[in-house]
Amino acid sequence: MKIQMVDLKGQYEKIKTEVDAGIQDCINNTAFINGPAVKEFQQDFEKYLNVKHVIPCANGTDALQIAMMALDLKPGDEVICPAFTYVATAEVIGLLGLVPVMVDVNEDTFDIQLDNLEQYLTPNTKAIVPVHLYGQSADMEKILEFAEKHNLFVIEDNAQAIGSDYTFSDGTVKKTGTIGHIGCTSFFPSKNLGCYGDGGALMTNDDEIALKIRMIANHGQEKKYHHKVLGCNSRLDTIQAAVLKVKLTRLDEYSAARNKMADYYDEHLAGISEITVPERAKNSTHVFHQYTLKVKNGKRNELQKYLAEKNIPSMVYYPLPLYKQEAFQQYVENGFSLPVTEKLCSEVISLPVHTEFDQQVLDYIISEIKNYFNS
Ligand SMILES: *Cc1c(COP(=O)(O)O)cnc(C)c1O
């Protein structure tokens, strides 16, 4: 048996008729750019997320960049983000001449640590970017409180948690990505709502910000050939929108399938003393973009090697804190270190998780992990 980290083929086979028809329709109409499927998907997605505006764009990294441009952040402005995340989160901050201020995360839920954030504030701090890592929400209620108190914009990096629900203490439930000033997501094929190429989107409930985002994503154009600001060219292809339209109708079903897989892993792995199964955040549902274990006693790399020998794929997201990346040295003092981020980089390992539940495969993965730990 060939085990995959993400089984996109099995998923495609179940939606093939609809997806193929959607793609063929785009080709028949040669409506490759801004064809009808783009608007249709946008509206479907707005309804699904219960948000006023979705603005599709070319990929998740562009979404983050456009978000920061739309908030008029200026060179030298500081943006707080976790050090334990995908590079894109902080990369766009630096690209725009802003300063990424990398902070630590919580050891149990992997999200941005809020307790000691005040120490990072300066008169130049303008925004905070929580990342809903692995598929569950950061503590948005606390983040909003912090942001309001210090007059910061909140940009949610929701590339990994699309479909997840966050519940506020008053009982209000919101989809991740619709809680801050702007939410950003990615439709990279392996993401929970993935297309068949690159894609991304921004979401906001603010009419003015939405207008600005649309303008920036379209060459800063207010009306055709009249460019108000410098922008970029970032669009979602019609063919990708056609795929996403089909997959969006299954997103909740997909999240449930991922949860079923995660629950099965939990049930069979929780008893092994040298690993920690993922902790569920109190106020968020989990959509398990990744199923991520922590491995104690420095055995992570050895476990990964063992699994590879047994033809079981696994991934380490992420092996290096951002502040240890060469590209980010300009933002930190020599020897800068965040204890939880360091620890997680040496302990985390993500197992195959996707929408196609196959008990035989799961049992094999579980039995090999048990073999490795002799338990
Ligand atoms: C995937 C991802 C992105 C970037 O998305 P792309 O579509 O690949 O540009 C940004 N942030 C996080 C946390 C991601 O996982």
Side-chain angles (χ1 to χ4, degrees), residues 318-329:
Y318 298 91
L320 266 188
L322 286 183
Y323 55 79
K324 282 198 174 165
Q325 301 284 355
E326 213 176 318
F328 288 87
Q329 290 315 299

Side-chain angles (χ1 to χ4, degrees), residues 58-64 84-91 130-134 157-161 184-191 197-201 289-290 317-318:
N59 57 68
T61 309
D62 272 12
L64 288 161
F84 187 65
T85 179
Y86 184 56
V87 65
T89 314
E91 186 179 32
V131 179
H132 305 312
L133 203 72
Y134 300 153
D157 183 340
N158 195 30
Q160 301 192 2
C184 299
T185 199
S186 161
F187 305 125
F188 187 82
S190 63
K191 301 278 156 112
D198 276 306
H289 174 60
Q290 299 298 339
Y317 305 112
Y318 298 91

